[in-house]
């Protein structure tokens, strides 16, 4: 499963909002500047997040966006589903060999578990320990 820029940038927006949770609204312009992203692209991503009621907007000179709920209540899976659709790394075909079908289901469930157990609070307060290794698999 590959997360597109929609999912990646959407998660960036939500983490930025989670870091400032309780401080009032934040403009997309400031998020775009801080993370060196296109403000225009972020504007396209914020609409589905607002429609899903994860974000609320505040109009006016000091307006912007803020989380609609506590960062502990929103998971990475919630955001990815809104922006990317259902989480399914492999299409599961019913007439496939049972062993392969079960493997695909286990992979799907593992990805869902990671995304659904990681909250915005976790991501906003993440501290890099340098212990994770980068893996690249070529199939």
């Amino acid at each position: 499963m590959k997360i597109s820029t929609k999912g990646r940038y959407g998660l960036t927006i939500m983490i930025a909002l989670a870091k400032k949770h309780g401080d009032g609204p934040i403009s997309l312009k400031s998020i775009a500047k801080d993370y060196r992203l296109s403000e225009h692209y972020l504007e396209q991503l914020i609409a589905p997040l607002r429609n899903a009621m994860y974000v609320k907007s505040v109009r006016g000179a000091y307006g912007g966006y803020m989380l609609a709920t506590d960062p502990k209540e929103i998971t990475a899976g919630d955001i990815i589903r809104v922006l990317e659709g259902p989480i399914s790394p492999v299409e599961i075909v019913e007439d496939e060999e049972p062993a392969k079908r079960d493997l695909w289901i286990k992979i799907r469930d593992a990805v869902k578990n990671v995304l659904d157990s990681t909250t915005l609070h976790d991501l906003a307060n993440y501290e890099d320990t340098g212990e994770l290794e980068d893996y690249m698999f070529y199939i």
Side-chain angles (χ1 to χ4, degrees):
M1 175 178 165
K2 211 169 191 180
I3 306 291
S4 73
T5 55
K6 283 173 68 171
R8 294 170 71 94
Y9 290 4
L11 209 49
T12 299
I13 293 169
M14 297 297 282
I15 292 169
L17 295 178
K19 286 180 177 180
K20 301 289 186 173
H21 184 66
D23 294 346
I26 299 157
S27 71
L28 285 183
K29 184 176 199 157
S30 67
I31 295 172
K33 181 181 174 197
D34 291 347
Y35 294 90
R36 298 181 192 160
L37 302 173
S38 161
E39 182 182 355
H40 179 70
Y41 192 48
L42 298 186
E43 287 169 355
Q44 295 173 33
L45 299 177
I46 201 77
L49 294 167
R50 191 179 65 239
N51 292 340
M53 304 219 287
Y54 293 125
V55 172
K56 59 184 176 182
S57 59
V58 177
R59 294 179 183 247
Y62 298 101
Y65 295 91
M66 54 199 305
L67 294 180
T69 186
D70 190 281
K72 292 178 182 175
E73 313 255 335
I74 304 170
T75 68
D78 295 331
I79 298 158
I80 297 301
R81 282 184 191 89
V82 166
L83 297 171
E84 300 278 357
I87 297 166
S88 185
V90 178
E91 185 177 335
I92 299 167
V93 181
E94 289 302 318
D95 62 346
E96 195 159 32
E97 294 172 50
K100 288 190 335 190
R101 187 185 66 237
D102 288 350
L103 175 64
W104 306 148
I105 290 170
K106 285 178 185 175
I107 292 170
R108 180 202 62 201
D109 292 347
V111 170
K112 282 182 176 183
N113 184 46
V114 169
L115 291 173
D116 290 338
S117 64
T118 305
T119 66
L120 278 180
H121 176 78
D122 299 333
L123 295 169
N125 295 294
Y126 178 79
E127 291 184 27
D128 188 7
T129 59
E131 294 180 18
L132 293 178
E133 294 182 30
D134 291 333
Y135 290 100
M136 180 61 77
F137 294 97
Y138 296 97
I139 299 174

